[in-house]
Amino acid sequence: LDQLEAMSPIPDTGSLRGDVLAYARRITNSVSQPDGFAFLRAVIGACKLDHSPDADGVQHLRRRGGEIQAMLDRAADQTHELQLTDVFDGILAPIYFRTLFGVGGIDDAYLNSLVDRLLAPRHPAPQHS
């Protein structure tokens, strides 16, 4: 886990869009390699078997999650109030789903569409009286 994190630092391109897109590209490239795919399956297996806070998979997700949240927090464009779960839901889940189940390809156009959706302005939910 430590080696993987050292080899795949969170990008700092100077813009939130650039950071998230670079991260999405890096993740896609990583999980498309045999070692990266095996690692993804191992983390999923570790989390599935052991939800304790000290489990290796949980520790990896916690550390990586902190790094992703720091990327979101340092964004110069503060019009986006994104949280870690937004990146999980909008970027990681679609990439991992398509990789694990072999559903459709993941090309640059697809990654751009994920980032565009993630960064699209959000409209607050209507308030009911």
Side-chain angles (χ1 to χ4, degrees), residues 1 26 101:
L1 291 173
R26 188 172 292 154
F101 295 103

Side-chain angles (χ1 to χ4, degrees), residues 23-80:
Y23 182 65
R25 287 177 178 149
R26 188 172 292 154
I27 290 298
T28 300
N29 185 50
S30 174
V31 297
S32 68
Q33 305 300 314
D35 290 348
F37 185 75
F39 173 77
L40 174 61
R41 291 182 56 154
V43 169
I44 291 169
C47 289
K48 187 176 179 180
L49 295 173
D50 187 354
H51 293 327
S52 71
D54 296 328
D56 286 341
V58 174
Q59 287 296 318
H60 168 71
L61 291 175
R62 183 173 290 128
R63 281 194 311 260
R64 186 54 93 174
E67 293 171 354
I68 295 169
Q69 188 62 55
M71 173 183 69
L72 298 174
D73 293 344
R74 77 168 178 252
D77 181 0
Q78 293 300 322
T79 61
H80 299 95

